[in-house]
C-alpha cells in the first residue's frame, strides 16, 4: 500500500529539490532532452521516422546497468531512428522523483514501467484531466495496430484501462503466458534442503501445521552448522509475505476487497486482528525475522545465501538463495493454509495486467512516433526482443527456428543477472504482452514452476478487487482520506506485530480508523465496484 502523495510546492522550492535529487539517477549526468519539432512517421515497418529524433524517458532503474548502455535499447534506437535520454532513479527513489517531476512540470516525454503502485490510477485520472497526460485511444486506433488488436480481442482489458472520462491515459503490462500470470505477487518458497534434513514429506496446509514447522526450523538446526542462527520466516516490511498469510485468515487484500459483491476494509475486520495476533506470536517467539521492518532486500538476500532462511518470498527462490535453477527446483512453493477463520484454502489472484506502465506526457512533441515506438513491444516478436535481448548475447536461432540459449559471459552468476544488463525487462513491469516465445522450449525449471503454480495457486485463486477507476470527485475525496489512513495502518501493523503496540489496544485502533471517515471510503469503493459490475 503506497500513499498517493500530493505535493503543493512553490516553484523555487520544487526546482531546488529536483536539483538536489538529480544526482541520484542511475544515468548520472544525463538530462531530459527531447526533440521539440514534430516529424513525419512511417506507419509500417522500420525506421519509424526517417529523421532522427530524441525523446526523454523516466523509469525506475534496477541498478544492473545504465539504460543508455543496454544492448536492447541501443539496437532498438538504430531500428527506429528514435533516440532516448534517460532518467532512471533507483526503484526505491522513483515514487518521490516522479511526484516531484509532476509537481514541477519538468516531466519526461514518456513515463515508462512505473506500475500502478507508484503511478496510481488516481494520478492517471488527475494528471489526465489536467492535460499533463495525453489521451491514447485515438493514437492507438490510428498508429498502434498491435495494441488495438489486443484491446479488440480482450474487451475486459480495455475496460480495465479506460478511466471514467472515457480516455486511456496509460498502457498496461499484460500477462498472456507463463505461470506468473496468475501470481498476485512473487510467491513464498520453502528451503528444500531444510525440509530434507528434517524429513518433512508434506507441506503445511493449516495454520497450526505451519506454526509447528517454523518451530522445527528454529530449534532443530536444519542448516547443520551447530548454531542457532536459523530464521524460519522473513520479509522486508511484510510487503511480499502479507498476501499469502492474510489469505489464511480469509482476507484477499490489505485494504479494500470484495466478498459476494460487498466491499469491505480488511484492516478493521476481526480476521485481520487474528492475523496480527498470529504474526505477533511468530515475532515474539523468534519465528519471524526480528529485522523484518528494518532490513533491505539486499540484506534479505544475504541471509538467503548464507542458508539461514526456512521460508522466504521472491519471484524465484534462487534470486534469494543464489542457487542454480536446478538446485532451486528442490525449493517447493508455499501451499495456501486453512484456519478456523478460513476453512477453505484461498490465494489472491492476479488480474493478469499491471496498469500504469506507459504514458505520454504533454511535453512530448511526437506522440504519434512514440505510440508507434511502444506498439512493437505488444507483438509476439517485440516481446521476444524485449525479454531476451538482441540475438547473439543470450540466445541464437537454430536451423529449425528453435531458440538456443547461450551461456553468460564470465563475471555473471546467472543468465538472469546478465539479462538484466541487456534489457529493461528485468525486475520492473515493462509495457508489453508476455506472449509465449516462438521456438523457446519450456525449461525444466519453467516446468517445475508451472507445476507448482497449477497445484498451489490456480485451484484456490480469487481476485481481491477488480481494476476500477473513480470519478475526479471520488478520487479527490478518497485521496484526502487515504493520506492519513494508509500511513496509520502501515505504522500500526508494524507496531502490533513487534509488540510495540499491545493487541489490547485493538479497539482504540479501530475507533481511530472509523474517525478517519472509513465509512465514506468504503462507500466510494462500493460505488466504483457497482459501476464495474454493471458494465
Amino acid at each position: 500500500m503506497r500513499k498517493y502523495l500530493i505535493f503543493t510546492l512553490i516553484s523555487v522550492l520544487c526546482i531546488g529539490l529536483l536539483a538536489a535529487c538529480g544526482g541520484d539517477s542511475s544515468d548520472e549526468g544525463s538530462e531530459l532532452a527531447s526533440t521539440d519539432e514534430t516529424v513525419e512517421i512511417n506507419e509500417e515497418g522500420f525506421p519509424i521516422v526517417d529523421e532522427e529524433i530524441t525523446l526523454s524517458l523516466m523509469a525506475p532503474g534496477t541498478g544492473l546497468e545504465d539504460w543508455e548502455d543496454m544492448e536492447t535499447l541501443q539496437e532498438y534506437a538504430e531500428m527506429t531512428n528514435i533516440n532516448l535520454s534517460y532518467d532512471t532513479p533507483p526503484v526505491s527513489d522513483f515514487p518521490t522523483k516522479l511526484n516531484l517531476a509532476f509537481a514541477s512540470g519538468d516531466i519526461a516525454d514518456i513515463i515508462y514501467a512505473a506500475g500502478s503502485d507508484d503511478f496510481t490510477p488516481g494520478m492517471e485520472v488527475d494528471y489526465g484531466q489536467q492535460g499533463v497526460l495525453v489521451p491514447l485511444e485515438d493514437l492507438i486506433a490510428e498508429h498502434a495496430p498491435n495494441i488495438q488488436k489486443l484491446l479488440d480481442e480482450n474487451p475486459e482489458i480495455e475496460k480495465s484501462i479506460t478511466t471514467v472520462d472515457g480516455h486511456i491515459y496509460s498502457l498496461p503490462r499484460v500477462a498472456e503466458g507463463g505461470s506468473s500470470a496468475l501470481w498476485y505477487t512473487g510467491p513464498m518458497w520453502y528451503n528444500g534442503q531444510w525440509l530434507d534434513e528434517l524429513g518433512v514429506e508434506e507441506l503445511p496446509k493449516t495454520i497450526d501445521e505451519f506454526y509447528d514447522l517454523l518451530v522445527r526450523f528454529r530449534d532443530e538446526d536444519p542448516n547443520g552448522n551447530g548454531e542457532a542462527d536459523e530464521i524460519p520466516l522473513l520479509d522486508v516490511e511484510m510487503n511480499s509475505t502479507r498476501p499469502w498469510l492474510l489469505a489464511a485468515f480469509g482476507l484477499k487484500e490489505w485494504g479494500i476487497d470484495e466478498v459476494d459483491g460487498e466491499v469491505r476494509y480488511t484492516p478493521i475486520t476481526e480476521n485481520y486482528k487474528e492475523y496480527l495476533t498470529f504474526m505477533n506470536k511468530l515475532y515474539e517467539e523468534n519465528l519471524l525475522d526480528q529485522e523484518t521492518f528494518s532490513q533491505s532486500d539486499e540484506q534479505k538476500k544475504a541471509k538467503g545465501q548464507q542458508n539461514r532462511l526456512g521460508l522466504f518470498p521472491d519471484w524465484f527462490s534462487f534470486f534469494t538463495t543464489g542457487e542454480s535453477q536446478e538446485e532451486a527446483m528442490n525449493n517447493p512453493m508455499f501451499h495456501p493454509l486453512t484456519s478456523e477463520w478460513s476453512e477453505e484454502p484461498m490465494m489472491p489472484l492476479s488480474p493478469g495486467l499491471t496498469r500504469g506502465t506507459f504514458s505520454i506526457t504533454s511535453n512530448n512533441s511526437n506522440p504519434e512516433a512514440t505510440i508507434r515506438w511502444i506498439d512493437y513491444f505488444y507483438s509476439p516478436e517485440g516481446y521476444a526482443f524485449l525479454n531476451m535481448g538482441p540475438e547473439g548475447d543470450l540466445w541464437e536461432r537454430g536451423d529449425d527456428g528453435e531458440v538456443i540459449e547461450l551461456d553468460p559471459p564470465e563475471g555473471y552468476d546467472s543468465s538472469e543477472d546478465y539479462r538484466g544488463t541487456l534489457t529493461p525487462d528485468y525486475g520492473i513491469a515493462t509495457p508489453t504482452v508476455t506472449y509465449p516465445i516462438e521456438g523457446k522450449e519450456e525449461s525444466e525449471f519453467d516446468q517445475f514452476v508451472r507445476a507448482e503454480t497449477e497445484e498451489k495457486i490456480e485451484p484456490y485463486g480469487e481476485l481481491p478487487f477488480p481494476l476500477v477507476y473513480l470519478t475526479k470527485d471520488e478520487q479527490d475525496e478518497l485521496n484526502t482520506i487515504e493520506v492519513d489512513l494508509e500511513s496509520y495502518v502501515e505504522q500500526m501493523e508494524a507496531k502490533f506485530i513487534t509488540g510495540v503496540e499491545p493487541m489490547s489496544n485493538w479497539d482504540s485502533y479501530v475507533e481511530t480508523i472509523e474517525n478517519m471517515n472509513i465509512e465514506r471510503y468504503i462507500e466510494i469503493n462500493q460505488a466504483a465496484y457497482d459501476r464495474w459490475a454493471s458494465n
Side-chain angles (χ1 to χ4, degrees):
M1 295 166 59
R2 300 285 186 93
K3 279 188 184 179
Y4 172 43
L5 303 174
I6 304 174
F7 290 89
T8 306
L9 304 172
I10 61 173
S11 59
V12 174
L13 175 60
C14 190
I15 292 170
L17 284 170
L18 282 169
C21 295
D24 293 336
S25 170
S26 64
D27 294 313
E28 208 169 303
S30 68
E31 297 180 359
L32 295 182
S34 58
T35 303
D36 292 330
E37 294 183 6
T38 302
V39 299
E40 294 289 328
I41 68 169
N42 301 314
E43 292 293 350
E44 296 181 355
F46 294 115
I48 292 174
V49 291
D50 293 327
E51 178 185 343
E52 279 195 8
I53 61 171
T54 300
L55 302 172
S56 58
L57 178 148
M58 187 177 189
T62 56
L64 295 183
E65 182 64 272
D66 290 346
W67 285 37
E68 61 190 12
D69 296 327
M70 290 183 177
E71 281 83 348
T72 303
L73 296 174
Q74 290 177 340
E75 183 163 322
Y76 196 51
E78 293 180 6
M79 291 165 59
T80 60
N81 262 352
I82 297 176
N83 301 309
L84 295 171
S85 62
Y86 301 102
D87 182 15
T88 56
V91 171
S92 58
D93 295 339
F94 180 76
T96 301
K97 299 290 184 69
L98 180 63
N99 277 284
L100 286 170
F102 271 124
S104 70
D106 186 20
I107 190 74
D109 297 326
I110 298 168
I111 303 170
Y112 184 92
S116 56
D117 283 342
D118 297 335
F119 185 34
T120 66
M123 293 169 71
E124 286 184 49
V125 172
D126 191 11
Y127 291 117
Q129 294 187 352
Q130 288 182 35
V132 179
L133 301 179
V134 174
L136 302 179
E137 62 275 1
D138 290 342
L139 290 170
I140 292 170
E142 294 175 24
H143 308 293
N146 293 312
I147 300 172
Q148 188 62 58
K149 179 183 178 184
L150 175 71
L151 300 183
D152 290 342
E153 294 178 352
N154 301 274
E156 71 280 2
I157 294 178
E158 184 170 13
K159 171 180 169 181
S160 296
I161 63 173
T162 302
T163 63
V164 289
D165 65 3
H167 292 306
I168 296 172
Y169 294 112
S170 184
L171 298 177
R173 179 183 179 94
V174 180
E176 180 73 18
S179 301
S180 60
L182 299 173
W183 297 355
Y184 185 74
T185 186
M188 294 200 292
W189 305 93
Y190 285 101
N191 186 324
Q193 294 180 40
W194 289 18
L195 297 176
D196 293 340
E197 182 68 25
L198 299 178
V200 176
E201 296 182 358
E202 188 171 344
L203 295 180
K205 293 185 174 63
T206 71
I207 202 74
D208 292 335
E209 292 172 356
F210 178 67
Y211 169 81
D212 292 341
L213 180 59
L214 296 185
V215 170
R216 295 192 66 191
F217 283 165
R218 181 193 65 192
D219 295 343
E220 298 184 25
D221 191 29
N223 67 9
N225 65 358
E227 300 178 16
D229 62 346
E230 285 83 359
I231 301 171
L233 171 68
L234 101 165
D235 200 356
V236 176
E237 297 183 349
M238 296 303 299
N239 287 332
S240 300
T241 297
R242 185 189 301 111
W244 310 123
L245 296 181
L246 279 178
F249 296 86
L251 303 175
K252 294 185 285 186
E253 177 61 281
W254 191 44
I256 290 292
D257 75 0
E258 167 271 327
V259 179
D260 297 329
E262 293 295 319
V263 173
R264 63 179 177 176
Y265 186 65
T266 61
I268 57 174
T269 61
E270 286 297 312
N271 302 59
Y272 184 68
K273 179 183 179 182
E274 296 300 333
Y275 156 80
L276 292 176
T277 301
F278 179 74
M279 296 308 298
N280 172 250
K281 178 182 179 180
L282 299 187
Y283 186 86
E284 292 292 334
E285 297 182 16
N286 284 316
L287 300 175
L288 175 65
D289 191 0
Q290 303 296 289
E291 296 179 322
T292 290
F293 294 98
S294 60
Q295 68 189 334
S296 66
D297 193 60
E298 289 74 20
Q299 290 171 304
K300 181 199 82 168
K301 292 183 188 302
K303 293 173 181 177
Q305 292 166 16
Q306 294 164 3
N307 194 23
R308 295 181 58 200
L309 306 181
L311 177 63
F312 51 90
D314 213 325
W315 197 253
F316 300 127
S317 65
F318 66 86
F319 286 0
T320 289
T321 63
E323 299 170 297
S324 68
Q325 289 189 4
E326 182 179 359
E327 292 170 322
M329 288 190 288
N330 189 43
N331 300 329
M333 186 186 292
F334 175 82
H335 192 286
L337 305 174
T338 60
S339 69
E340 62 182 287
W341 304 278
S342 180
E343 295 181 356
E344 295 295 328
M346 183 262 291
M347 295 292 276
L349 196 64
S350 168
L353 57 86
T354 302
R355 294 191 295 194
T357 66
F358 185 89
S359 290
I360 300 173
T361 73
S362 57
N363 288 344
N364 191 323
S365 300
N366 287 279
E368 293 84 3
T370 304
I371 201 71
R372 273 225 60 210
W373 181 89
I374 197 60
D375 185 61
Y376 176 63
F377 297 117
Y378 284 85
S379 68
E381 178 186 327
Y383 170 66
F385 176 65
L386 179 66
N387 180 259
M388 298 192 300
E391 185 173 3
D393 289 307
L394 263 181
W395 67 282
E396 62 184 14
R397 190 75 68 179
D399 294 338
D400 296 328
E402 75 276 17
V403 172
I404 301 172
E405 297 189 34
L406 306 176
D407 292 330
E410 276 190 44
Y412 293 94
D413 294 333
S414 69
S415 295
E416 278 296 295
D417 288 342
Y418 182 48
R419 192 174 71 84
T421 70
L422 300 174
T423 173
D425 189 39
Y426 177 92
I428 55 177
T430 56
T432 187
V433 179
T434 60
Y435 295 105
I437 296 175
E438 183 180 356
K440 186 177 182 182
E441 289 189 10
E442 190 177 45
S443 68
E444 283 190 54
F445 181 75
D446 290 337
Q447 293 174 23
F448 159 75
V449 172
R450 175 170 52 80
E452 291 291 288
T453 301
E454 289 175 352
E455 176 189 352
K456 298 169 182 174
I457 294 182
E458 188 172 355
Y460 313 113
E462 294 186 25
L463 186 67
F465 196 69
L467 297 176
V468 302
Y469 282 100
L470 307 174
T471 67
K472 178 65 167 61
D473 289 342
E474 287 173 337
Q475 189 67 62
D476 289 344
E477 192 173 356
L478 212 64
N479 293 341
T480 302
I481 299 172
E482 278 182 341
V483 169
D484 294 327
L485 175 65
E486 294 186 354
S487 175
Y488 178 69
V489 170
E490 187 173 345
Q491 292 173 19
M492 291 301 291
E493 182 193 56
K495 290 180 179 180
F496 279 131
I497 290 176
T498 59
V500 173
E501 191 81 20
M503 290 306 302
S504 58
N505 287 349
W506 169 262
D507 290 343
S508 174
Y509 156 81
V510 172
E511 183 179 354
T512 300
I513 291 177
E514 289 174 344
N515 291 333
M516 291 179 174
N517 210 5
I518 192 64
E519 186 175 340
R520 177 59 180 155
Y521 185 79
I522 296 172
E523 186 179 283
I524 291 171
N525 281 284
Q526 183 72 61
Y529 174 82
D530 292 342
R531 281 196 303 269
W532 176 90
S534 65
N535 187 345

